[in-house]
Amino acid sequence: MTGERRLPVVFPPETDERLSSWVARMASFYAMTVPEFLAELGLSGRDPFDLEWRLSDGEGALIVARTGLTVEAIQAMTFQEFTPDARMMITRKDRHHCPLCPDDVHRKSLALPWVFRCPVHGADLQDATGATLPEMLGDARMAALATHAKAGSVILNAWARGAGQGILGAPEMLAVLTARHRRASPPSLAEQPRMSLQTRRDYHEFLTMPILRQALTVVVPEYDLVAPVLAKPVRPGLYGLAQGSLLQGFALTAGIGRLVEDPVALAIAVLLASDTDGQGRVQDALRSWPLSLRRRISARLWRAQRDERDRRIAQTPTRRRQSHEYRRVQSHEYRSRIS
């Protein structure tokens, strides 16, 4: 099968299918390897993942000539609308698995860390263990976070495509969410599973291992309650989203949705929950936020700190002070003339 003639059989792309997936399916049908099929299209030596990132007009014309597909259909299988900064978010295969999608079809949406349902079947995506977000979070927590995650996905989609993002951008919010607001500490009793005394002795190293504490657990406390203690920390900034698990990606996306809704109040909540060193790290992350927001945070922070201080004083039980003043009236009187 050589020459410039049109291929006898050409599969139409599936909905939301990416170019590398379509090329692999076509190569398998013609009993070729992917490099051999690309050479047949006149694209010898090209990487299909590079092609779906940026496909030139000349390369697109070669595919059109051999397959009969339209230029629009081919370009729709690429990530041409994404900015270079967003390329790190795109995986070579599906990030997570849709139980209803064919194994040989990989969709563009499933390569992104802020997509949690299949765009074709509407099914919840599964992680490597087969678990879904409702199973990990529970129905009540999932319902509470769903709206925020949807808002976060809209913001991340706009950022990836270079569209307007409003006052705050996705990288600036991720910097705050992944900032270490407290010093690393071993798992607390609430984070530890129930263990016998002997088991605690056997797992002493685990129980005393310091865990990074990040602002994400303050903004999304639902994540703090269900995430495995050793898997709670995420990579800093954009890497936390690009390389995180299904649960981590969902928590970061929901955190972005919550920050957009009320950035000042949540930033103050993180600062109040921080220790001295953590406040400095969070303030460093906040320096990338617009000046207007930082001024509002500063103006309200001291009042919030005062109210928090007054609340703690009110909750502290007052101890009755012992008087050391000489008592003029004794509790007993000695009778006169009695020695």
Side-chain angles (χ1 to χ4, degrees), residues 88-89 95 174 178 234-244 248 252:
M88 63 185 298
M89 299 291 173
R95 280 182 177 272
L174 287 171
T178 59
V234 298
R235 297 286 302 276
L238 291 169
Y239 292 98
L241 194 61
Q243 302 175 11
Q248 290 173 339
L252 288 169

Side-chain angles (χ1 to χ4, degrees), residues 44-45 79 82 85 98 152 154 171-172 201 206 255 265 331:
S44 180
F79 294 94
F82 279 46
D85 291 339
C98 170
V154 172
E172 291 76 19
R201 290 171 178 168
F206 157 71
S331 59

